[in-house]
Amino acid sequence: MNRREFSKRMLILGIGAQAGSAKGNQARSRNQFGNFYEEPAKKLPVRKFDVVVAGGGTAGVVAATAAARQGAKTALIEVKGYPGGTATEGGTALHSFYNLWKAFPGAKKRQVVRGIAQEIIDRLLKVGGTSGHAEMSKGYNYDSVCTAIDTEMYKLVTFEMLVESGVFVCVNTLLAGAIMDGSRIRGVIAESRSGREAFYAKSFVDCTAYGDLAAFAGADYKVPNDYACCNSVGIGNVDIDKYHDFMKSKGRIEQIAFGIRSGEPDKIVRVQGPRGQAFSAEANKIGMSSVTTTVHDNYLMFIKCNFKVPGTVLSRDDMAKAELEVRKRMAKAVELFRKYVPGCEKAFMARTSPKLCIRRGRLITCDYDITHEDVIEGRHFDDDVMAYGFHDSAPRYQVKNGGTYGIPYRALRVAGIENLLVAGMMITSDHRAHMSTRNTVSCMGQGQATGTAAALCAAKNCETRELRYGELRKALQQGGVYFES
Ligand SMILES: Cc1cc2nc3c(=O)[nH]c(=O)nc-3n(C[C@H](O)[C@H](O)[C@H](O)COP(=O)(O)OP(=O)(O)OC[C@H]3O[C@@H](n4cnc5c(N)ncnc54)[C@H](O)[C@@H]3O)c2cc1C
């Protein structure tokens, strides 16, 4: 029997990859009738870094770029084949680089998130990949600007920025474990088709949205499951102006913004309003949201279909059912556009997200938990790392007087772990406060703060709590970060 025939026979007998090795056979005979399989120990190759960032999404891209720009030898571990995360898969537009000045007569217009987040927009502008910061002409009680992006160009531009900054970018790589030394992380396990490897580093940033690294490290967390999950469809072959005229004829355009579309300025890039009773009744049944944005003439970027997962977003099997349900809803959504909305008669599903987007996975316990009062009262802290002024529940909840609140460094330090920071949707337990801190531009700002802090800690051989705030603030200011005071 040659090797190929042997493998084929083993396959027929249902014996897996370990077949043929003495160790594998022993393990198999020990466990074949039990409910557990004991994995044999393995020696893993080690790579050494100053900073490891887990998750190359909205926050992670910025965190890794910031760390590398501080001179830290930085690795980014991202399970998908591209960076960008939920900003490229779920959001309608990037909220928000500005305070809500338009809703508060007399309030001063301020761009409150700058730094690397703004650099991404500058680069997208050069390649026609954004509407720019398009001021809302209507609906500015919700936001003052709409910054829509071309999701595919975002992936490319951020990938290039990471590489140019010197980040060792590991895409298609799963972060699969943490190697602990007491309450310090010594390294992480990275798993890809190149094999399992250990990545050692001095400081770590968890930007996985799910809080995978924090959980592997033994951090305290909750899984609130307090939001619907969502997939979003990009709908192609639509006539935006005809679509807008139809909405206008219904007499209730609630939001509109004009910006760059297919290279031309002053074009509609955001429209919201009711599309008729029949449409709305059917849209409600599939959890479809009504805001449309675009940066291209014949395309609606993010038509969202929401679904509250029964069970938990951490369960593979609960999510599998939800993935199918939402795919059915997305097909229905396109059908509704074709049926009811002039300009969309020949619309088709041009893109979907590769998987369901969560609004919150694990909520990681940090040294400070931002409250809703902090947000709406516009509180700042003596260790602010950024300012932010957007609330996704506006106009019901807004930051007082169109101002900003601060995100403090302590809100990004994981309780009980010496060298781990988190950025993104994993912070802020209060659902209403989270409706502000979880938004893309906030996550990007948190990314710059945590990446910079992690790099400084690595350079100084200190833990996250030992880093002097003055040094962090100075480095952030040098990196273009805006502080309110
Ligand atoms: C449907 C939806 C609509 C939204 N709409 C808006 C909006 O219009 N405007 C707005 O500003 N905000 C919006 N938000 C909120 C905002 O988009 C997110 O909160 C924000 O993008 C989250 O950023 P993040 O960095 O925490 O996570 P993500 O951007 O999701 O990044 C996490 C990354 O980690 C990777 N990852 C996860 N686990 C692992 C692992 N074990 N190993 C390796 N990689 C891993 C993922 O692949 C991903 O790339 C929306 C969110 C959703 C879900």
Side-chain angles (χ1 to χ4, degrees):
M1 194 187 292
N2 66 25
R3 191 174 164 75
R4 185 176 290 173
E5 284 165 347
F6 175 79
S7 305
K8 211 168 144 191
R9 192 168 154 68
M10 291 299 110
L11 218 70
I12 293 163
L13 291 172
I15 298 171
Q18 288 288 343
S21 82
K23 247 188 180 172
N25 285 340
Q26 276 168 20
R28 187 179 164 271
S29 60
R30 263 206 315 271
N31 295 296
Q32 65 177 328
F33 300 117
N35 290 328
F36 292 94
Y37 168 72
E38 197 178 316
E39 275 190 278
K42 245 180 165 183
K43 264 193 187 157
L44 305 185
V46 170
R47 287 177 180 270
K48 290 186 180 153
F49 298 93
D50 296 320
V51 174
V52 166
V53 177
T58 317
V61 158
V62 183
T65 304
R69 286 186 183 175
Q70 288 296 319
K73 190 177 172 199
T74 305
L76 176 66
I77 301 175
E78 167 55 47
V79 71
K80 285 180 232 148
Y82 54 85
T86 307
T88 67
E89 290 158 4
T92 316
L94 305 182
H95 295 303
S96 177
F97 287 83
Y98 288 81
N99 61 322
L100 196 61
W101 88 91
K102 288 193 94 167
F104 292 87
K108 213 172 121 211
K109 172 181 177 181
R110 272 132 43 237
Q111 181 171 351
V112 299
V113 180
R114 304 181 189 178
I116 295 171
Q118 177 55 39
E119 221 181 287
I120 295 173
I121 300 301
D122 293 340
R123 299 215 15 177
L124 284 170
L125 273 169
K126 286 191 188 140
V127 294
T130 174
S131 61
H133 298 310
E135 273 191 33
M136 301 280 279
S137 303
K138 211 170 179 189
Y140 46 74
N141 274 350
Y142 171 67
D143 200 358
S144 292
V145 292
C146 165
T147 311
I149 52 161
D150 178 318
T151 55
E152 303 313 309
M153 294 312 290
Y154 192 97
K155 293 170 191 171
L156 174 61
V157 158
T158 52
F159 210 147
E160 286 174 340
M161 282 175 72
L162 286 161
V163 172
E164 285 165 24
S165 304
V167 177
F168 179 62
V169 184
C170 304
V171 286
N172 302 313
T173 304
L174 177 75
L175 177 115
I179 303 162
M180 298 304 292
D181 184 1
S183 56
R184 294 193 85 249
I185 304 176
R186 182 158 181 221
V188 297
I189 308 286
E191 184 143 16
S192 71
R193 282 187 192 88
S194 298
R196 261 164 93 84
E197 296 163 286
F199 283 24
Y200 286 181
K202 296 173 184 167
S203 315
F204 297 82
V205 188
D206 187 347
C207 298
T208 59
Y210 280 87
D212 284 358
L213 175 53
F216 283 134
D220 188 34
Y221 66 82
K222 296 189 192 85
V223 190
N225 202 16
D226 53 349
Y227 287 102
C229 282
C230 173
N231 199 322
S232 73
V233 202
I235 301 188
N237 218 7
V238 301
D239 181 331
I240 306 282
D241 298 306
K242 210 166 156 190
Y243 167 67
H244 163 260
D245 293 346
F246 159 73
M247 302 265 290
K248 204 172 163 191
S249 73
K250 298 273 162 203
R252 273 186 51 206
I253 289 187
E254 289 164 353
Q255 288 182 13
I256 191 156
F258 298 87
I260 304 166
R261 197 180 84 203
S262 288
E264 283 183 56
D266 304 322
K267 294 282 191 178
I268 296 165
V269 293
R270 183 181 183 99
V271 191
Q272 196 225 326
R275 283 160 284 208
Q277 270 183 352
F279 181 98
S280 297
E282 292 196 53
N284 284 344
K285 284 188 212 155
I286 56 168
M288 195 208 302
S289 73
S290 61
V291 186
T292 48
T293 54
T294 188
V295 295
H296 296 297
D297 280 349
N298 56 357
Y299 185 56
L300 296 176
M301 240 163 33
F302 286 111
I303 304 301
K304 296 181 209 171
C305 288
N306 294 293
F307 179 63
K308 184 89 184 340
V309 175
T312 162
V313 297
L314 297 186
S315 155
R316 179 197 61 198
D317 300 342
D318 292 346
M319 288 301 264
K321 287 182 200 143
E323 294 277 6
L324 175 60
E325 172 60 29
V326 174
R327 294 240 160 237
K328 287 183 192 163
R329 290 179 178 213
M330 291 192 293
K332 179 79 181 164
V334 182
E335 211 181 291
L336 292 187
F337 270 88
R338 279 201 292 256
K339 185 170 165 192
Y340 290 109
V341 185
C344 302
E345 294 83 356
K346 291 189 175 172
F348 70 97
M349 206 183 296
R351 65 150 275 286
T352 65
S353 307
K355 61 172 194 54
L356 274 181
C357 297
I358 53 163
R359 290 184 168 87
R360 170 129 82 171
R362 292 187 187 88
L363 163 67
I364 307 300
T365 305
C366 291
D367 287 350
Y368 184 74
D369 190 14
I370 296 169
T371 68
H372 195 230
E373 279 220 303
D374 293 339
V375 172
I376 58 175
E377 289 297 318
R379 285 187 190 139
H380 285 269
F381 302 83
D382 57 10
D383 59 344
D384 271 3
V385 288
M386 64 180 285
Y388 196 55
F390 175 75
H391 199 307
D392 211 4
S393 301
R396 186 167 179 215
Y397 298 119
Q398 296 162 320
V399 183
K400 199 167 149 185
N401 301 328
T404 66
Y405 64 95
I407 296 203
Y409 177 50
R410 66 192 104 150
L412 308 174
R413 287 190 314 238
V414 176
I417 313 280
E418 309 305 328
N419 57 345
L420 177 62
L421 298 165
V422 284
M425 66 170 82
M426 289 169 270
I427 67 160
T428 317
S429 69
D430 185 304
H431 183 91
R432 294 161 307 161
H434 191 260
M435 287 296 284
S436 176
T437 62
R438 77 180 169 95
N439 285 279
T440 46
V441 184
S442 166
C443 294
M444 291 157 95
Q446 294 169 40
Q448 184 154 358
T450 48
T452 305
L456 291 175
C457 289
K460 290 171 192 314
N461 269 314
C462 72
E463 311 295 18
T464 56
R465 282 168 198 82
E466 291 163 0
L467 181 65
R468 285 180 45 218
Y469 171 67
E471 286 180 45
L472 174 58
R473 182 165 170 136
K474 192 170 154 207
L476 289 172
Q477 276 168 327
Q478 283 167 350
V481 172
Y482 169 83
F483 287 89
E484 194 85 311
S485 55

